[in-house]
Every structure is written in C-alpha cells, then in structure tokens.
Amino acid sequence: MDYPQPLVTVDAVLLTLRAGGLEIALHQRDRAPFKGAMALPGGVVHADEDDSTEASIRRVLREKTGFEPRYLEQLQVFSGPQRDPRQWSLSVSYVALVPVAELEAAAGQGLRFVSVDALPALAFDHAAIVAAAVARLRGKSSYSTLPFFLLPERFTLTELQHTYEAILQTRLEKSNFRRKMDAWGVLEPTGDFVTGAQRPARLYRLKDFALFDRTVG
C-alpha cells in the first residue's frame, strides 16, 4: 500500500542581542505559501545531498545567510497536517546563538531583526518555534554558560552581566554575579582593556571553547 510522503524541512531560530534586547533574524518569503510573510530561515531537506538534518540546516544557513553559527542546537520537531497548506509536513527546528556583529554582517542577505517580544505575523507555525527557542535559552541560561555564545571572543564582565540580564529579564546584583563567575571558573583575563571615560575595563575570554554550553552549579 502506498502512503503519502511528508514534506521534511529544517528551520533555524537565529538569536542575538541588539540594543540590549533579545532579537531574532527573519527573512521575507518570496514564494507561496505565505508569499510576502516573514519567516525563519529554513528549507527542504535534500535527501540525496544531506547526511543529516543538521547538515541540512547548515547548508540552508550558508545559502541564505552566508555563514554558519558557532552554536547550533536541535530544538524539537514540529509536525502535522495543518502547519503547511501544501501537505503533511514536519520541521526539525534548530536554535543558534550568534554575536550581533556576525549576524549584522549577514543582514545583507535580506535578514531583518525583530524583538522576540514583538513578533510580526509569521509564516507556518514559526511563532511557536520561536517561543520554544526563547524558552529553551532562558531556561538553560540560569545554570549554564550558554549566553557566552552571544558575545564576541573577548568581552568585559559588564557586557557579560548585561547579556545574562537581557536573557533572564531581570537585574543581577553585580558582586553576586561576579562571585558566581569566579566560582564557575570558566573565565580568564586577557592582557587587554577597554578604555573610555571611566576607568579601563579588563577584557576576558572563556578559558576553553569546550566550556561553552557547560552546565555549572
């Protein structure tokens, strides 16, 4: 007996921090369905070319944004007969954390930035995908080094604290935050400083790239 084959796609939620808030990168669809609507970067899995859905989303991001994110995590599968008017479909969704400079450099590919708290109407079920990605990030950020992926390689402790505050949507007491970072033992100072009107601020970096997304106590 023949069974209809589902449409298999991949979608990416590209999260970044801009102007002190958490934003995502969207593009405008140029074809049906939902022509003209804003949507997440995504595409159809090429079964004859892609070794996995992760390979699919990395290919799609190279084609549509011109870059691959340092951090890419599978989020979940969204599926059903109602999400795509063409046919029964499933999307393997991913969440990527990208420093703003990298994502703004890719904005020439047609990306538009939107606050996660003020989404326009999105194609398909992409609003639900975004909500799941934001919940994942905010949930894990309270006990892990995941927010480091939103920063450049070198950063000040103030920038790091503001990153956590923007994600967790709360103010953090400065001395407590810095004691926590010391206890985690994941930072090392560089020999460089940021100079300005106030006293110079030391630049830090992660001790080991493998410590990214580390769960800490």
Side-chain angles (χ1 to χ4, degrees):
M1 181 175 179
D2 293 332
Y3 295 94
Q5 294 298 307
L7 178 65
V8 182
T9 63
V10 287
D11 293 294
V13 182
L14 302 178
L15 289 167
T16 194
L17 281 180
R18 295 179 79 243
L22 195 60
E23 298 191 3
I24 59 170
L26 302 171
H27 74 102
Q28 188 173 35
R29 286 184 58 81
D30 60 1
R31 67 188 68 180
F34 301 105
K35 183 176 181 180
M38 302 304 294
L40 298 171
V44 176
V45 171
H46 293 178
D48 59 343
E49 177 183 351
D50 303 329
D51 292 333
S52 63
T53 55
E54 182 174 335
S56 295
I57 194 60
R58 290 188 179 278
R59 171 184 53 78
V60 167
L61 288 176
R62 286 195 303 270
E63 293 171 353
K64 294 191 174 183
T65 70
F67 81 104
E68 289 187 49
R70 288 183 296 168
Y71 180 83
L72 184 68
E73 176 185 351
Q74 185 174 317
L75 183 61
Q76 67 184 77
V77 174
F78 291 80
S79 62
Q82 306 300 326
R83 63 179 309 272
D84 190 319
R86 291 171 291 188
Q87 64 193 93
W88 201 104
S89 73
L90 67 85
S91 171
V92 182
S93 62
Y94 288 81
V95 56
L97 306 182
V98 190
V100 64
E102 293 183 21
L103 205 47
E104 286 180 337
Q109 301 286 331
L111 296 178
R112 299 183 187 180
F113 297 101
V114 176
S115 169
V116 299
D117 298 313
L119 295 178
L122 300 182
F124 306 103
D125 53 359
H126 287 185
I129 298 176
V130 172
V134 172
R136 170 78 62 86
L137 174 60
R138 286 177 171 157
K140 293 182 70 173
S141 292
S142 62
Y143 59 84
S144 79
T145 56
L146 194 58
F148 285 68
F149 274 106
L150 294 170
L151 291 163
E153 181 181 353
R154 300 185 304 164
F155 47 84
T156 67
L157 289 179
T158 298
E159 289 172 334
L160 179 61
Q161 180 175 335
H162 288 170
T163 298
Y164 273 86
E165 289 176 336
I167 294 170
L168 298 174
Q169 296 182 301
T170 188
R171 293 294 299 273
L172 301 173
E173 203 280 322
K174 180 178 178 180
S175 59
N176 289 340
F177 177 79
R178 297 193 175 190
R179 279 197 295 270
K180 175 181 276 191
M181 291 298 111
D182 288 340
W184 284 1
V186 296
L187 293 175
E188 68 177 5
T190 70
D192 299 320
F193 293 80
V194 175
T195 58
Q198 300 178 343
R199 65 181 183 178
R202 184 184 294 273
L203 288 168
Y204 289 79
R205 61 175 169 241
L206 203 62
K207 284 183 177 179
D208 185 344
F209 188 83
L211 292 174
F212 270 129
D213 196 21
R214 173 180 169 183
T215 298
V216 286

